Amino acid sequence: MQTAGYLEVLDSEGQLLSSAAERAGTDARVPTCPGWQVRDLLRHTGQVHHWAAAFVTDRHPERRPLGEPPDLDGAELVAWYRDSHRRLVDTLTAAPPDLECFAFLPAPSPLAFWTRRQAHETAVHRFDAESALGGTPSPIAPDFAADGIDELLRGFHTRPRSRVRTDTPRVLRVRATDADAVWTVRLSSEPPAATRGEDEDAECELAGPADQLYLALWNRAPVPGVTGDRTLAELWRETSAI
C-alpha cells in the first residue's frame, strides 16, 4: 500500500472507532481488551494519535514518552478523541514526503512508517470499540489485513522486546488464504525471524482469511485454522502481546 491508501484507512477507521464508542458509551466493557472499558480505549488511542502527530509536527528525532491521558469522560472524551484523530490525519496529510523524524520500525520513510502504523493501530482499536457494541464488526480488506500481518511479523516481533521465544529452533508458518500471502517464522531463543514465502518445512501452520488471521495474531480473535504442532499456536497466544 502507498501512503495515500494508509491515510484513507486511518481516516475511515478513526471515524468508525469514535462512532462505535459514542454508541456503546464510555462505561461499556471492551471484551477484546480484558479489564478495559471504552473510556480506556479512547484515552489510549487518542494518546497514541497525539504522540505520533507530535513526532511529525516537531520533526523530533528520538523516542519520547507517550504522555498522560486526559481527565475527561463521556461525550467530552469522545469529542477529544475525534479531535485527536482529525489532527493526526491532517498532520500526516500535510507532511512532506522527505519528512525526517523518529520511527521505530523499518520503512521506506518516516512518513510511510507513521501512516502505516497509525492506520493499523486505529483499525485494531476500531475492532475493539465495535466489540463493545456486539454484533458484526466492520470488515477489514484482505490486502490491508495482510499488510498488517507483515508489519507484525517482520516489524514488531523482530525487536528485542518480543517474548515469542523457544529453547530450541522451531518453524511456524502463517498463511493468509485469500491474499496470496505466506510467511515463515523461525523461532529460537532470539527474537523471531520472519520472511515472506515458504522456503522450509514448518512444524505448525496458522491459516485463514487475512482479516481473521490479522485479528488472531493481534490476539483479538481465535486463530481460524491450526495444523501441525498446536503448542506453537499456544505459544503465540501466550507470549505475543505487544
Side-chain angles (χ1 to χ4, degrees), residues 169-191:
R170 310 289 299 277
V171 180
L172 175 69
R173 185 98 67 228
V174 177
R175 187 186 306 275
T177 55
D178 60 346
D180 191 28
V182 60
W183 296 261
T184 298
V185 186
R186 295 166 182 84
L187 305 176
S188 69
S189 59
E190 299 296 321

Side-chain angles (χ1 to χ4, degrees), residues 72-153:
L72 299 171
D73 204 351
E76 289 184 328
L77 180 58
V78 175
W80 173 83
Y81 173 76
R82 284 194 170 114
D83 181 67
S84 302
H85 170 253
R86 177 48 46 198
R87 289 187 181 190
L88 174 64
V89 173
D90 290 347
T91 296
L92 291 170
T93 300
D98 61 352
L99 170 74
E100 293 292 337
C101 69
F102 170 76
F104 61 85
L105 295 178
S109 70
L111 181 59
F113 164 77
W114 283 113
T115 54
R116 183 193 201 194
R117 176 79 293 275
Q118 288 302 292
H120 287 295
E121 176 86 12
T122 310
V124 170
H125 288 315
R126 181 272 300 166
F127 180 84
D128 294 331
E130 290 185 345
S131 76
L133 280 174
T136 303
S138 304
I140 300 170
D143 61 338
F144 178 74
D147 180 80
I149 295 169
D150 193 77
E151 182 201 43
L152 182 63
L153 297 179

Side-chain angles (χ1 to χ4, degrees), residues 8 17 24 30 34 41 46 48-49 56 67 73 102 118 137 139-140 156 159 169-170 186 192 206 215 222 239 241:
E8 288 180 8
L17 191 162
V30 181
L41 184 66
V48 171
H49 290 343
V56 176
D73 204 351
F102 170 76
Q118 288 302 292
I140 300 170
F156 276 102
R159 301 185 301 168
R170 310 289 299 277
R186 295 166 182 84
L206 313 182
L215 294 170
T239 63

